[in-house]
């Protein structure tokens, strides 16, 4: 491919018009930039069962519409995942519930254990992806400029390390009063600008720590 490799840590495939992830990515790459291409699918699982040393993966501005992260057991130290500017309408983080009597699914306890930043801006999500709580190190989630319509009580359940939530420029009309209740480490920003909120302000913020948090609510429908 036309990808550029510095021979040690950095793989740069940006603007190379590739339509698939190169199969010969070095296992030692720390940063991989695959932005601005024609990639439609991304599958984490590795046929050779080898663990990648990637810490930063940029898949922004491609053509990805569906993405499943439950198989990403070969990215144990990935810290940032950039999925901005795709066409993602389905982002799967949790395992499906097995039918009665069928084989139980194994716990997804190795799902991107080091991931701190997940960015899915400018996509087609209409709900917050289920299973964010499985990303045990997640501190920042950016989901601005999607089509999210409401925030449910379980959307950020078990996101104990979450500090920064960006939900700007969605279509949010409803936020459950308990949606942010257990996020004790929220200390940077909850950005809800440019939505369609009409609900009373206290219902949104009743459980948040005002002493260490910035909340942005301008350009709503109040």
């Amino acid at each position: 491919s036309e990808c550029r490799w510095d021979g040690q840590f950095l793989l740069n495939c940006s603007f190379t018009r590739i339509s698939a992830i190169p199969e010969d990515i070095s296992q030692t790459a720390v940063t991989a930039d695959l932005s601005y291409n024609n990639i439609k699918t991304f599958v984490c699982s590795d046929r050779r069962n080898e663990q990648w040393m990637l810490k930063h993966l940029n898949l922004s501005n491609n053509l990805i519409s569906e993405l499943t992260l439950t198989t990403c057991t070969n990215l144990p130290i990935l810290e940032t995942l950039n999925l901005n500017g795709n066409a993602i309408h389905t982002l799967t983080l949790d395992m499906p519930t097995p039918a009665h009597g069928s084989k139980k699914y194994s716990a997804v306890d190795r799902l991107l254990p080091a991931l701190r930043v997940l960015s899915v801006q400018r996509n087609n999500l209409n709900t917050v992806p289920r299973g964010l709580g499985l990303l045990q190190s997640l501190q920042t989630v950016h989901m601005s400029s999607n089509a999210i319509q409401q925030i449910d009580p379980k959307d950020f359940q078990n996101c104990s390390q979450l500090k920064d939530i960006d939900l700007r420029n969605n279509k949010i009309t409803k936020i459950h009063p308990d949606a942010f209740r257990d996020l004790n480490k929220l200390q940077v920003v909850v950005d809800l600008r440019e939505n369609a909120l009409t609900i009373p302000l206290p219902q949104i913020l009743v459980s948040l720590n005002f002493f260490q948090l910035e909340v942005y609510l301008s350009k709503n429908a109040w």
Side-chain angles (χ1 to χ4, degrees):
S1 69
E2 298 180 8
C3 297
R4 297 171 295 281
W5 168 241
D6 71 354
Q8 195 170 15
F9 301 119
L10 175 61
L11 174 71
N12 187 352
C13 298
S14 184
F15 290 102
T16 54
R17 294 179 291 182
I18 57 176
S19 58
I21 307 294
E23 294 185 0
D24 57 348
I25 290 181
S26 171
Q27 307 298 123
T28 64
V30 173
T31 298
D33 186 351
L34 302 163
S35 62
Y36 292 95
N37 284 299
N38 300 315
I39 298 170
K40 294 183 178 180
T41 59
F42 173 67
V43 179
C44 289
S45 58
D46 185 78
R47 293 190 300 272
R48 295 166 294 182
N49 199 29
E50 296 179 359
Q51 291 187 339
W52 294 354
M53 301 308 294
L54 277 179
K55 287 188 176 181
H56 311 287
L57 177 58
N58 186 352
L59 285 163
S60 65
N61 298 291
N62 277 282
L63 304 174
I64 301 170
S65 60
E66 297 184 49
L67 188 61
T68 299
L69 298 180
T70 54
T71 59
C72 293
T73 55
N74 60 333
L75 295 170
I77 62 174
L78 188 70
E79 295 179 2
T80 64
L81 177 58
N82 186 344
L83 299 167
N84 296 343
N86 279 277
I88 298 173
H89 57 79
T90 302
L91 178 59
T92 303
L93 295 161
D94 56 351
M95 297 292 277
T97 303
H100 180 70
S102 64
K103 184 179 179 180
K104 293 183 178 179
Y105 289 94
S106 58
V108 194
D109 56 359
R110 292 189 297 161
L111 177 60
L112 302 175
L115 192 70
R116 294 184 300 171
V117 179
L118 175 63
S119 192
V120 201
Q121 302 178 89
R122 303 189 310 280
N123 278 280
N124 298 328
L125 296 174
N126 55 28
T127 62
V128 174
R130 297 292 186 264
L132 286 176
L134 295 171
L135 303 172
Q136 298 177 357
S137 299
L138 189 65
Q139 297 180 9
T140 299
V141 57
H142 289 164
M143 293 181 287
S144 65
S145 300
N146 278 278
I148 298 171
Q149 299 177 24
Q150 66 181 48
I151 308 299
D152 294 330
K154 293 185 178 181
D155 284 346
F156 297 104
Q157 191 175 37
N158 299 322
C159 295
S160 59
Q161 303 301 312
L162 204 54
K163 297 180 180 180
D164 181 0
I165 302 174
D166 184 356
L167 291 163
R168 179 166 48 92
N169 191 26
N170 276 279
K171 299 179 180 180
I172 300 171
T173 60
K174 180 181 179 181
I175 299 179
H176 193 279
D178 295 330
F180 304 127
R181 182 175 294 278
D182 297 324
L183 304 184
N184 298 322
K185 292 198 175 182
L186 272 180
Q187 58 184 12
V188 183
V189 170
V190 175
D191 194 338
L192 292 163
R193 288 176 289 180
E194 300 174 51
N195 279 284
L197 290 172
T198 59
I199 58 177
L201 182 61
Q203 288 188 16
I204 305 173
L205 307 177
V206 65
S207 60
L208 299 181
N209 188 334
F210 290 95
F211 294 102
Q212 57 184 6
L213 183 67
E214 295 181 24
V215 181
Y216 298 138
L217 293 160
S218 63
K219 295 185 181 179
N220 274 277
W222 283 303

